[in-house]
Amino acid sequence: SQQGEEDPQALSIQEGENATMNCSYKTSINNLQWYRQNSGRGLVHLILIRSNEREKHSGRLRVTLDTSKKSSSLLITASRAADTASYFCATDSTGGGNKLTFGTGTQLKVEL
Amino acid sequence: DTGVSQNPRHKITKRGQNVTFRCDPISEHNRLYWYRQTLGQGPEFLTYFQNEAQLEKSRLLSDRFSAERPKGSFSTLEIQRTEQGDSAMYLCASSAQALYGYTFGSGTRLTVV
């Protein structure tokens, strides 16, 4: 079953613009993670934010977490064509047995 | 190559045949996961090992599916009597600790004809 839902399902922007993706989830979590997947490939871990953290940065990535609203957002600044991929949020739920439950993903297309 | 390795990359099989996939995790990682992903969806959890112990199985994992991780190193996922609905990408991932992210392999794409 899918835990989270990403919004929007698809996003198309111009190179240099910022891209924001949102994730909502249903249960209490230990941490939330974001992954990127290029077409037909495995997923690549981008960033992890713990339940007691509200914001985290890594390079051009900024993640926020609002546990009261059970939501997270991923911001990619100054996007590049190479950022074109699907982005998934994944939750490590409290009592969930240390497995990740993935959302449905946002397809990002960055055009030149 | 120190990443997660999955073999084969692609498998085409006839309905009713058995298939087996292999995953070699990062050697220092004691946790190993199997996920299934269909087109346009996020990965769905199948099963999880800590060392050689299979700690959790999804209800998605019918009795036609079996996974092993002998000696806590590589893992195999076997699907018996394949059905067309089994067509999907099968992803393996490993991690060192619960608070670390997963490292995924490139997946095995199964097509059942």
Side-chain angles (χ1 to χ4, degrees):
Chain A
S1 62
Q2 309 280 184
Q3 154 80 307
E5 290 188 4
E6 277 91 335
D7 171 54
Q9 287 188 318
L11 179 61
S12 182
I13 59 174
Q14 297 295 117
E15 198 171 48
E17 294 180 336
N18 296 342
T20 300
M21 289 159 264
N22 302 296
C23 167
S24 60
Y25 58 91
K26 300 172 184 174
T27 64
S28 297
I29 60 171
N30 297 315
N31 64 74
L32 183 145
Q33 303 177 30
W34 285 89
Y35 287 80
R36 183 187 73 220
Q37 184 178 36
N38 290 89
S39 181
R41 307 289 296 182
L43 287 81
V44 174
H45 179 254
L46 296 176
I47 195 166
L48 180 153
I49 186 166
R50 302 186 187 195
S51 60
N52 61 353
E53 297 176 312
R54 290 297 166 257
E55 187 170 316
K56 202 161 184 180
H57 297 253
S58 177
R60 294 184 296 112
L61 305 180
R62 172 177 168 255
V63 170
T64 61
L65 179 65
D66 186 337
T67 53
S68 67
K69 294 181 180 178
K70 292 187 168 55
S71 68
S72 174
S73 68
L74 171 67
L75 168 68
I76 304 174
T77 60
S79 63
R80 306 166 182 168
D83 295 328
T84 295
S86 292
Y87 291 81
F88 294 91
C89 68
T91 51
D92 176 1
S93 298
T94 306
N98 299 129
K99 67 177 186 293
L100 291 180
T101 304
F102 286 81
T104 51
T106 292
Q107 285 189 319
L108 173 66
K109 183 175 182 181
V110 182
E111 299 185 87
L112 295 170
Chain B
D1 191 325
T2 57
V4 176
S5 177
Q6 289 189 247
N7 288 288
R9 288 294 313 278
H10 303 274
K11 179 71 176 178
I12 300 174
T13 191
K14 292 184 178 179
R15 189 174 52 186
Q17 297 293 304
N18 299 344
V19 294
T20 299
F21 310 141
R22 177 178 170 124
C23 172
D24 288 273
I26 292 174
S27 57
E28 305 84 49
H29 289 179
N30 62 352
R31 296 162 184 258
L32 186 147
Y33 307 83
W34 285 98
Y35 282 79
R36 182 172 68 187
Q37 186 179 26
T38 53
L39 196 62
Q41 298 295 313
E44 291 181 298
F45 170 77
L46 292 179
T47 190
Y48 153 54
F49 292 84
Q50 184 162 325
N51 299 312
E52 65 274 13
Q54 187 173 20
L55 297 187
E56 190 171 345
K57 289 173 60 173
S58 165
R59 286 171 290 177
L60 292 174
L61 219 62
S62 74
D63 57 5
R64 297 185 298 106
F65 288 71
S66 63
E68 295 182 340
R69 194 184 181 193
K71 304 177 184 177
S73 56
F74 72 92
S75 176
T76 58
L77 177 68
E78 181 184 17
I79 308 174
Q80 296 182 325
R81 304 181 303 281
T82 52
E83 302 172 356
Q84 285 189 322
D86 297 331
S87 295
M89 174 79 89
Y90 290 84
L91 294 163
C92 175
S94 67
S95 72
Q97 293 185 27
L99 282 178
Y100 292 1
Y102 291 2
T103 301
F104 276 87
S106 296
T108 294
R109 181 168 296 283
L110 173 67
T111 302
V112 181
V113 296

